[in-house]
PDB file of all heavy atoms in Angstrom:
ATOM      1  N   PRO A   1       0.822  -1.214   0.000  1.00 97.00           N
ATOM      2  CA  PRO A   1       0.000   0.000   0.000  1.00 97.00           C
ATOM      3  C   PRO A   1       0.855   1.264   0.000  1.00 97.00           C
ATOM      4  O   PRO A   1       2.016   1.249   0.408  1.00 97.00           O
ATOM      5  CB  PRO A   1      -0.802  -0.117   1.296  1.00 97.00           C
ATOM      6  CG  PRO A   1       0.060  -0.940   2.200  1.00 97.00           C
ATOM      7  CD  PRO A   1       0.800  -1.893   1.293  1.00 97.00           C
ATOM      8  N   SER A   2       0.256   2.333  -0.479  1.00 98.00           N
ATOM      9  CA  SER A   2       0.879   3.655  -0.425  1.00 98.00           C
ATOM     10  C   SER A   2      -0.024   4.548   0.406  1.00 98.00           C
ATOM     11  O   SER A   2      -1.253   4.423   0.370  1.00 98.00           O
ATOM     12  CB  SER A   2       1.031   4.262  -1.825  1.00 98.00           C
ATOM     13  OG  SER A   2       1.880   3.466  -2.614  1.00 98.00           O
ATOM     14  N   GLY A   3       0.580   5.467   1.139  1.00 97.00           N
ATOM     15  CA  GLY A   3      -0.184   6.343   2.014  1.00 97.00           C
ATOM     16  C   GLY A   3      -0.007   7.804   1.673  1.00 97.00           C
ATOM     17  O   GLY A   3       0.893   8.200   0.918  1.00 97.00           O
ATOM     18  N   HIS A   4      -0.885   8.592   2.260  1.00 97.00           N
ATOM     19  CA  HIS A   4      -0.876  10.035   2.067  1.00 97.00           C
ATOM     20  C   HIS A   4       0.527  10.585   2.383  1.00 97.00           C
ATOM     21  O   HIS A   4       1.089  10.313   3.424  1.00 97.00           O
ATOM     22  CB  HIS A   4      -1.927  10.666   2.988  1.00 97.00           C
ATOM     23  CG  HIS A   4      -2.202  12.087   2.719  1.00 97.00           C
ATOM     24  ND1 HIS A   4      -2.919  12.869   3.580  1.00 97.00           N
ATOM     25  CD2 HIS A   4      -1.871  12.901   1.689  1.00 97.00           C
ATOM     26  CE1 HIS A   4      -3.019  14.093   3.092  1.00 97.00           C
ATOM     27  NE2 HIS A   4      -2.379  14.132   1.948  1.00 97.00           N
ATOM     28  N   GLY A   5       1.072  11.319   1.439  1.00 97.00           N
ATOM     29  CA  GLY A   5       2.396  11.916   1.611  1.00 97.00           C
ATOM     30  C   GLY A   5       3.538  11.111   1.021  1.00 97.00           C
ATOM     31  O   GLY A   5       4.647  11.644   0.879  1.00 97.00           O
ATOM     32  N   ASP A   6       3.299   9.846   0.691  1.00 98.00           N
ATOM     33  CA  ASP A   6       4.366   9.044   0.064  1.00 98.00           C
ATOM     34  C   ASP A   6       4.781   9.692  -1.254  1.00 98.00           C
ATOM     35  O   ASP A   6       3.970  10.271  -1.969  1.00 98.00           O
ATOM     36  CB  ASP A   6       3.901   7.611  -0.221  1.00 98.00           C
ATOM     37  CG  ASP A   6       3.881   6.726   1.007  1.00 98.00           C
ATOM     38  OD1 ASP A   6       4.336   7.176   2.077  1.00 98.00           O
ATOM     39  OD2 ASP A   6       3.404   5.579   0.891  1.00 98.00           O
ATOM     40  N   ARG A   7       6.045   9.575  -1.567  1.00 98.00           N
ATOM     41  CA  ARG A   7       6.567  10.093  -2.828  1.00 98.00           C
ATOM     42  C   ARG A   7       6.907   8.900  -3.720  1.00 98.00           C
ATOM     43  O   ARG A   7       7.914   8.230  -3.509  1.00 98.00           O
ATOM     44  CB  ARG A   7       7.773  10.979  -2.588  1.00 98.00           C
ATOM     45  CG  ARG A   7       7.378  12.232  -1.814  1.00 98.00           C
ATOM     46  CD  ARG A   7       8.504  13.233  -1.704  1.00 98.00           C
ATOM     47  NE  ARG A   7       8.077  14.390  -0.953  1.00 98.00           N
ATOM     48  CZ  ARG A   7       7.436  15.448  -1.455  1.00 98.00           C
ATOM     49  NH1 ARG A   7       7.144  15.475  -2.737  1.00 98.00           N
ATOM     50  NH2 ARG A   7       7.091  16.462  -0.699  1.00 98.00           N
ATOM     51  N   LEU A   8       6.008   8.668  -4.669  1.00 98.00           N
ATOM     52  CA  LEU A   8       6.172   7.545  -5.581  1.00 98.00           C
ATOM     53  C   LEU A   8       7.018   7.953  -6.774  1.00 98.00           C
ATOM     54  O   LEU A   8       7.082   9.127  -7.139  1.00 98.00           O
ATOM     55  CB  LEU A   8       4.812   7.066  -6.094  1.00 98.00           C
ATOM     56  CG  LEU A   8       3.771   6.655  -5.062  1.00 98.00           C
ATOM     57  CD1 LEU A   8       2.479   6.259  -5.760  1.00 98.00           C
ATOM     58  CD2 LEU A   8       4.286   5.531  -4.187  1.00 98.00           C
ATOM     59  N   GLU A   9       7.637   6.962  -7.357  1.00 98.00           N
ATOM     60  CA  GLU A   9       8.323   7.129  -8.634  1.00 98.00           C
ATOM     61  C   GLU A   9       7.663   6.152  -9.597  1.00 98.00           C
ATOM     62  O   GLU A   9       7.705   4.945  -9.375  1.00 98.00           O
ATOM     63  CB  GLU A   9       9.806   6.822  -8.485  1.00 98.00           C
ATOM     64  CG  GLU A   9      10.579   6.987  -9.765  1.00 98.00           C
ATOM     65  CD  GLU A   9      12.059   6.735  -9.574  1.00 98.00           C
ATOM     66  OE1 GLU A   9      12.778   7.698  -9.261  1.00 98.00           O
ATOM     67  OE2 GLU A   9      12.493   5.571  -9.730  1.00 98.00           O
ATOM     68  N   LEU A  10       7.027   6.686 -10.626  1.00 98.00           N
ATOM     69  CA  LEU A  10       6.428   5.844 -11.660  1.00 98.00           C
ATOM     70  C   LEU A  10       7.408   5.746 -12.812  1.00 98.00           C
ATOM     71  O   LEU A  10       7.845   6.767 -13.351  1.00 98.00           O
ATOM     72  CB  LEU A  10       5.100   6.421 -12.143  1.00 98.00           C
ATOM     73  CG  LEU A  10       3.881   6.088 -11.276  1.00 98.00           C
ATOM     74  CD1 LEU A  10       3.881   6.884 -10.001  1.00 98.00           C
ATOM     75  CD2 LEU A  10       2.609   6.298 -12.049  1.00 98.00           C
ATOM     76  N   ALA A  11       7.778   4.523 -13.158  1.00 98.00           N
ATOM     77  CA  ALA A  11       8.736   4.282 -14.236  1.00 98.00           C
ATOM     78  C   ALA A  11       8.038   3.515 -15.343  1.00 98.00           C
ATOM     79  O   ALA A  11       7.556   2.403 -15.130  1.00 98.00           O
ATOM     80  CB  ALA A  11       9.936   3.500 -13.714  1.00 98.00           C
ATOM     81  N   LEU A  12       7.967   4.127 -16.519  1.00 98.00           N
ATOM     82  CA  LEU A  12       7.301   3.551 -17.686  1.00 98.00           C
ATOM     83  C   LEU A  12       8.351   3.003 -18.641  1.00 98.00           C
ATOM     84  O   LEU A  12       9.359   3.656 -18.900  1.00 98.00           O
ATOM     85  CB  LEU A  12       6.463   4.636 -18.367  1.00 98.00           C
ATOM     86  CG  LEU A  12       5.687   4.254 -19.606  1.00 98.00           C
ATOM     87  CD1 LEU A  12       4.401   5.072 -19.657  1.00 98.00           C
ATOM     88  CD2 LEU A  12       6.484   4.483 -20.861  1.00 98.00           C
ATOM     89  N   ARG A  13       8.092   1.788 -19.134  1.00 97.00           N
ATOM     90  CA  ARG A  13       8.980   1.137 -20.100  1.00 97.00           C
ATOM     91  C   ARG A  13       8.142   0.660 -21.276  1.00 97.00           C
ATOM     92  O   ARG A  13       7.076   0.070 -21.087  1.00 97.00           O
ATOM     93  CB  ARG A  13       9.641  -0.063 -19.414  1.00 97.00           C
ATOM     94  CG  ARG A  13      10.992  -0.415 -19.874  1.00 97.00           C
ATOM     95  CD  ARG A  13      11.649  -1.464 -18.973  1.00 97.00           C
ATOM     96  NE  ARG A  13      10.839  -2.621 -18.685  1.00 97.00           N
ATOM     97  CZ  ARG A  13      10.753  -3.711 -19.459  1.00 97.00           C
ATOM     98  NH1 ARG A  13      11.441  -3.778 -20.583  1.00 97.00           N
ATOM     99  NH2 ARG A  13      10.003  -4.727 -19.116  1.00 97.00           N
ATOM    100  N   CYS A  14       8.593   0.921 -22.483  1.00 97.00           N
ATOM    101  CA  CYS A  14       7.933   0.418 -23.694  1.00 97.00           C
ATOM    102  C   CYS A  14       8.440  -0.996 -23.932  1.00 97.00           C
ATOM    103  O   CYS A  14       9.642  -1.214 -24.067  1.00 97.00           O
ATOM    104  CB  CYS A  14       8.262   1.299 -24.897  1.00 97.00           C
ATOM    105  SG  CYS A  14       7.673   2.993 -24.735  1.00 97.00           S
ATOM    106  N   THR A  15       7.514  -1.962 -24.001  1.00 97.00           N
ATOM    107  CA  THR A  15       7.921  -3.362 -24.106  1.00 97.00           C
ATOM    108  C   THR A  15       7.761  -3.947 -25.502  1.00 97.00           C
ATOM    109  O   THR A  15       8.456  -4.894 -25.850  1.00 97.00           O
ATOM    110  CB  THR A  15       7.141  -4.229 -23.104  1.00 97.00           C
ATOM    111  OG1 THR A  15       5.739  -4.080 -23.348  1.00 97.00           O
ATOM    112  CG2 THR A  15       7.468  -3.821 -21.670  1.00 97.00           C
ATOM    113  N   ARG A  16       6.820  -3.415 -26.283  1.00 96.00           N
ATOM    114  CA  ARG A  16       6.658  -3.916 -27.649  1.00 96.00           C
ATOM    115  C   ARG A  16       5.906  -2.883 -28.474  1.00 96.00           C
ATOM    116  O   ARG A  16       5.103  -2.111 -27.959  1.00 96.00           O
ATOM    117  CB  ARG A  16       5.952  -5.256 -27.685  1.00 96.00           C
ATOM    118  CG  ARG A  16       4.564  -5.244 -27.157  1.00 96.00           C
ATOM    119  CD  ARG A  16       3.887  -6.618 -27.182  1.00 96.00           C
ATOM    120  NE  ARG A  16       2.727  -6.602 -26.327  1.00 96.00           N
ATOM    121  CZ  ARG A  16       1.621  -5.898 -26.549  1.00 96.00           C
ATOM    122  NH1 ARG A  16       1.528  -5.146 -27.617  1.00 96.00           N
ATOM    123  NH2 ARG A  16       0.610  -5.928 -25.713  1.00 96.00           N
ATOM    124  N   LEU A  17       6.207  -2.894 -29.761  1.00 97.00           N
ATOM    125  CA  LEU A  17       5.583  -1.964 -30.696  1.00 97.00           C
ATOM    126  C   LEU A  17       4.985  -2.760 -31.836  1.00 97.00           C
ATOM    127  O   LEU A  17       5.688  -3.486 -32.535  1.00 97.00           O
ATOM    128  CB  LEU A  17       6.627  -0.970 -31.228  1.00 97.00           C
ATOM    129  CG  LEU A  17       6.156   0.081 -32.213  1.00 97.00           C
ATOM    130  CD1 LEU A  17       5.092   0.977 -31.603  1.00 97.00           C
ATOM    131  CD2 LEU A  17       7.348   0.914 -32.683  1.00 97.00           C
ATOM    132  N   GLY A  18       3.664  -2.643 -32.001  1.00 97.00           N
ATOM    133  CA  GLY A  18       2.972  -3.312 -33.099  1.00 97.00           C
ATOM    134  C   GLY A  18       2.607  -2.310 -34.181  1.00 97.00           C
ATOM    135  O   GLY A  18       2.995  -1.136 -34.129  1.00 97.00           O
ATOM    136  N   ARG A  19       1.836  -2.765 -35.137  1.00 97.00           N
ATOM    137  CA  ARG A  19       1.404  -1.897 -36.235  1.00 97.00           C
ATOM    138  C   ARG A  19       0.676  -0.663 -35.699  1.00 97.00           C
ATOM    139  O   ARG A  19       0.961   0.459 -36.089  1.00 97.00           O
ATOM    140  CB  ARG A  19       0.477  -2.683 -37.173  1.00 97.00           C
ATOM    141  CG  ARG A  19      -0.042  -1.880 -38.363  1.00 97.00           C
ATOM    142  CD  ARG A  19      -1.075  -2.636 -39.169  1.00 97.00           C
ATOM    143  NE  ARG A  19      -2.372  -2.675 -38.521  1.00 97.00           N
ATOM    144  CZ  ARG A  19      -3.287  -1.703 -38.608  1.00 97.00           C
ATOM    145  NH1 ARG A  19      -3.055  -0.636 -39.335  1.00 97.00           N
ATOM    146  NH2 ARG A  19      -4.433  -1.809 -37.978  1.00 97.00           N
ATOM    147  N   SER A  20      -0.259  -0.881 -34.771  1.00 97.00           N
ATOM    148  CA  SER A  20      -1.003   0.221 -34.183  1.00 97.00           C
ATOM    149  C   SER A  20      -1.054   0.140 -32.661  1.00 97.00           C
ATOM    150  O   SER A  20      -1.736   0.924 -32.020  1.00 97.00           O
ATOM    151  CB  SER A  20      -2.439   0.245 -34.740  1.00 97.00           C
ATOM    152  OG  SER A  20      -3.119  -0.943 -34.388  1.00 97.00           O
ATOM    153  N   SER A  21      -0.326  -0.801 -32.081  1.00 97.00           N
ATOM    154  CA  SER A  21      -0.373  -0.994 -30.629  1.00 97.00           C
ATOM    155  C   SER A  21       0.984  -0.721 -29.987  1.00 97.00           C
ATOM    156  O   SER A  21       2.019  -0.701 -30.655  1.00 97.00           O
ATOM    157  CB  SER A  21      -0.821  -2.416 -30.292  1.00 97.00           C
ATOM    158  OG  SER A  21       0.131  -3.351 -30.747  1.00 97.00           O
ATOM    159  N   LEU A  22       0.946  -0.517 -28.679  1.00 98.00           N
ATOM    160  CA  LEU A  22       2.152  -0.282 -27.889  1.00 98.00           C
ATOM    161  C   LEU A  22       1.986  -0.971 -26.555  1.00 98.00           C
ATOM    162  O   LEU A  22       1.003  -0.729 -25.840  1.00 98.00           O
ATOM    163  CB  LEU A  22       2.368   1.222 -27.674  1.00 98.00           C
ATOM    164  CG  LEU A  22       3.531   1.625 -26.775  1.00 98.00           C
ATOM    165  CD1 LEU A  22       4.871   1.225 -27.401  1.00 98.00           C
ATOM    166  CD2 LEU A  22       3.495   3.121 -26.492  1.00 98.00           C
ATOM    167  N   GLY A  23       2.922  -1.855 -26.223  1.00 98.00           N
ATOM    168  CA  GLY A  23       2.929  -2.505 -24.919  1.00 98.00           C
ATOM    169  C   GLY A  23       3.739  -1.681 -23.942  1.00 98.00           C
ATOM    170  O   GLY A  23       4.831  -1.204 -24.272  1.00 98.00           O
ATOM    171  N   LEU A  24       3.197  -1.504 -22.737  1.00 98.00           N
ATOM    172  CA  LEU A  24       3.867  -0.723 -21.703  1.00 98.00           C
ATOM    173  C   LEU A  24       3.928  -1.505 -20.401  1.00 98.00           C
ATOM    174  O   LEU A  24       3.067  -2.333 -20.119  1.00 98.00           O
ATOM    175  CB  LEU A  24       3.103   0.582 -21.429  1.00 98.00           C
ATOM    176  CG  LEU A  24       2.950   1.572 -22.565  1.00 98.00           C
ATOM    177  CD1 LEU A  24       2.060   2.728 -22.138  1.00 98.00           C
ATOM    178  CD2 LEU A  24       4.307   2.064 -23.026  1.00 98.00           C
ATOM    179  N   GLU A  25       4.943  -1.186 -19.618  1.00 98.00           N
ATOM    180  CA  GLU A  25       5.043  -1.661 -18.248  1.00 98.00           C
ATOM    181  C   GLU A  25       5.272  -0.423 -17.391  1.00 98.00           C
ATOM    182  O   GLU A  25       6.149   0.394 -17.703  1.00 98.00           O
ATOM    183  CB  GLU A  25       6.209  -2.633 -18.096  1.00 98.00           C
ATOM    184  CG  GLU A  25       6.382  -3.135 -16.679  1.00 98.00           C
ATOM    185  CD  GLU A  25       7.585  -4.047 -16.565  1.00 98.00           C
ATOM    186  OE1 GLU A  25       7.425  -5.262 -16.776  1.00 98.00           O
ATOM    187  OE2 GLU A  25       8.682  -3.516 -16.284  1.00 98.00           O
ATOM    188  N   THR A  26       4.476  -0.268 -16.358  1.00 98.00           N
ATOM    189  CA  THR A  26       4.617   0.867 -15.455  1.00 98.00           C
ATOM    190  C   THR A  26       4.786   0.327 -14.046  1.00 98.00           C
ATOM    191  O   THR A  26       3.937  -0.426 -13.559  1.00 98.00           O
ATOM    192  CB  THR A  26       3.384   1.792 -15.509  1.00 98.00           C
ATOM    193  OG1 THR A  26       3.141   2.153 -16.863  1.00 98.00           O
ATOM    194  CG2 THR A  26       3.617   3.046 -14.681  1.00 98.00           C
ATOM    195  N   GLU A  27       5.888   0.708 -13.419  1.00 98.00           N
ATOM    196  CA  GLU A  27       6.171   0.266 -12.054  1.00 98.00           C
ATOM    197  C   GLU A  27       6.209   1.481 -11.141  1.00 98.00           C
ATOM    198  O   GLU A  27       6.838   2.486 -11.469  1.00 98.00           O
ATOM    199  CB  GLU A  27       7.516  -0.463 -12.004  1.00 98.00           C
ATOM    200  CG  GLU A  27       7.878  -0.939 -10.616  1.00 98.00           C
ATOM    201  CD  GLU A  27       9.233  -1.620 -10.552  1.00 98.00           C
ATOM    202  OE1 GLU A  27      10.156  -1.168 -11.255  1.00 98.00           O
ATOM    203  OE2 GLU A  27       9.356  -2.594  -9.808  1.00 98.00           O
ATOM    204  N   ALA A  28       5.537   1.362  -9.998  1.00 98.00           N
ATOM    205  CA  ALA A  28       5.586   2.421  -8.991  1.00 98.00           C
ATOM    206  C   ALA A  28       6.375   1.918  -7.796  1.00 98.00           C
ATOM    207  O   ALA A  28       6.132   0.814  -7.297  1.00 98.00           O
ATOM    208  CB  ALA A  28       4.185   2.828  -8.556  1.00 98.00           C
ATOM    209  N   THR A  29       7.332   2.739  -7.369  1.00 98.00           N
ATOM    210  CA  THR A  29       8.122   2.415  -6.181  1.00 98.00           C
ATOM    211  C   THR A  29       8.127   3.610  -5.239  1.00 98.00           C
ATOM    212  O   THR A  29       7.868   4.752  -5.644  1.00 98.00           O
ATOM    213  CB  THR A  29       9.580   2.054  -6.544  1.00 98.00           C
ATOM    214  OG1 THR A  29      10.161   3.146  -7.249  1.00 98.00           O
ATOM    215  CG2 THR A  29       9.644   0.790  -7.397  1.00 98.00           C
ATOM    216  N   CYS A  30       8.429   3.336  -3.996  1.00 98.00           N
ATOM    217  CA  CYS A  30       8.601   4.376  -2.986  1.00 98.00           C
ATOM    218  C   CYS A  30       9.749   3.929  -2.089  1.00 98.00           C
ATOM    219  O   CYS A  30       9.665   2.867  -1.465  1.00 98.00           O
ATOM    220  CB  CYS A  30       7.318   4.569  -2.182  1.00 98.00           C
ATOM    221  SG  CYS A  30       7.425   5.877  -0.932  1.00 98.00           S
ATOM    222  N   GLY A  31      10.809   4.707  -2.079  1.00 96.00           N
ATOM    223  CA  GLY A  31      11.965   4.341  -1.277  1.00 96.00           C
ATOM    224  C   GLY A  31      12.525   2.981  -1.652  1.00 96.00           C
ATOM    225  O   GLY A  31      13.014   2.249  -0.796  1.00 96.00           O
TER     226      GLY A  31
END
């Protein structure tokens, strides 16, 4: 869980590229 005041870091990574699609992975971390 994350709580009020936590400072998250969202990291987005492109995992695959199709003709019209895009695969993404998004990870949130705190400390």
Side-chain angles (χ1 to χ4, degrees):
S2 297
H4 191 192
D6 282 354
R7 295 187 180 275
L8 303 178
E9 181 177 271
L10 277 74
L12 180 147
R13 211 170 49 86
C14 297
T15 57
R16 62 181 164 67
L17 180 61
R19 180 187 76 84
S20 62
S21 65
L22 175 65
L24 299 175
E25 179 182 271
T26 307
E27 180 182 37
T29 58
C30 182

